[in-house]
């Protein structure tokens, strides 16, 4: 029995030695969790507060201005012997400010010429699907920006596209 008491006494002593280390680890872990949670809450609050201030301080955005381009009807490139196909396009140019629109209007004949020259080189297969229309939009935007530089167009918008 004395051996059992010694073993039990040794176990109690071992628990006393282990217990402070486990409590210290628990306190450190809890402190770390509180620091992380507190830091995250502070960051979220400051980010939300900054976004609200930014939105309040930002001036209301002006609506874009649109410039009508004359309707265009061009014949498309085809293989010899095929029937002739035509492309009818109604376009609008989107710009940021009215003064940009006023700067573009005197250059509309140049813009129309550049568009027609490019459109006449297309095949009907170039316009298939949304990918073809997207490529056409990007190419027309690039060409109009080169023609009216230093003014810039945000986008070329299609009002109507008909391939016959």
């Amino acid at each position: 029995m004395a051996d059992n008491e010694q073993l039990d006494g040794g176990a109690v002593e071992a628990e006393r030695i282990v217990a402070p280390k486990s409590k210290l680890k628990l306190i450190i872990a809890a402190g770390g969790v509180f620091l992380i949670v507190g830091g995250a809450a502070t960051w979220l609050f400051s980010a939300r507060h900054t976004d609200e201030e930014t939105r309040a301080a930002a001036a209301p955005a002006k609506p874009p201005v649109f410039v009508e381009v004359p309707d265009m009807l061009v014949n498309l490139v085809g293989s010899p012997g095929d029937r002739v196909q035509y492309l009818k396009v109604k376009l609008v140019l989107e710009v940021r400010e009215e003064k940009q629109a006023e700067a573009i209007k005197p250059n509309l004949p140049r813009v129309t010429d550049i568009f027609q020259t490019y459109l006449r080189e297309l095949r009907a297969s170039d316009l298939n699907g949304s990918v073809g229309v997207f490529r056409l939009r990007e190419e027309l935007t690039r060409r109009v920006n080169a023609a009216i530089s230093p003014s810039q167009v945000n986008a070329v918008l299609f009002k109507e596209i008909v391939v016959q």
Side-chain angles (χ1 to χ4, degrees):
M1 196 166 219
D3 289 334
N4 285 344
E5 286 178 12
Q6 276 184 334
L7 290 177
D8 288 339
V12 170
E13 215 174 289
E15 283 181 20
R16 286 185 198 154
I17 295 172
V18 174
K21 288 184 182 178
S22 334
K23 287 183 181 179
L24 181 62
K25 287 181 183 179
L26 182 64
I27 291 171
I28 290 173
V33 169
F34 284 122
L35 283 175
I36 291 171
V37 170
T42 303
W43 179 76
L44 286 173
F45 177 74
S46 66
R48 183 176 294 152
H49 187 61
T50 304
D51 288 344
E52 290 171 2
E53 286 177 352
T54 305
R55 288 184 197 137
K62 294 180 181 178
V65 179
F66 300 101
V67 179
E68 294 277 337
V69 176
D71 297 351
M72 289 181 260
L73 179 66
V74 297
N75 58 327
L76 298 172
V77 174
S79 300
D82 286 348
R83 70 179 181 94
V84 178
Q85 290 187 305
Y86 295 96
L87 171 67
K88 181 180 180 183
V89 181
K90 291 184 182 182
L91 300 170
V92 177
L93 306 177
E94 178 184 334
V95 294
R96 291 186 189 169
E97 298 176 348
E98 183 66 37
K99 61 182 190 179
Q100 286 179 322
E102 295 303 321
I104 291 172
K105 286 180 183 177
N107 291 321
L108 274 179
R110 177 176 292 135
V111 170
T112 303
D113 178 60
I114 289 171
F115 284 174
Q116 283 193 4
T117 304
Y118 175 69
L119 293 173
R120 288 179 58 89
E121 292 297 320
L122 294 176
R123 292 178 209 79
S125 61
D126 294 336
L127 301 171
N128 286 341
S130 61
V131 174
V133 175
F134 180 77
R135 275 191 237 129
L136 178 62
R137 173 182 288 127
E138 292 299 313
E139 185 63 28
L140 293 177
T141 303
R142 188 184 68 75
R143 288 174 183 265
V144 72
N145 282 334
I148 63 168
S149 183
S151 296
Q152 292 292 308
V153 169
N154 292 345
V156 174
L157 306 174
F158 295 108
K159 290 175 75 176
E160 183 180 344
I161 299 175
V162 178
V163 178
Q164 282 186 328

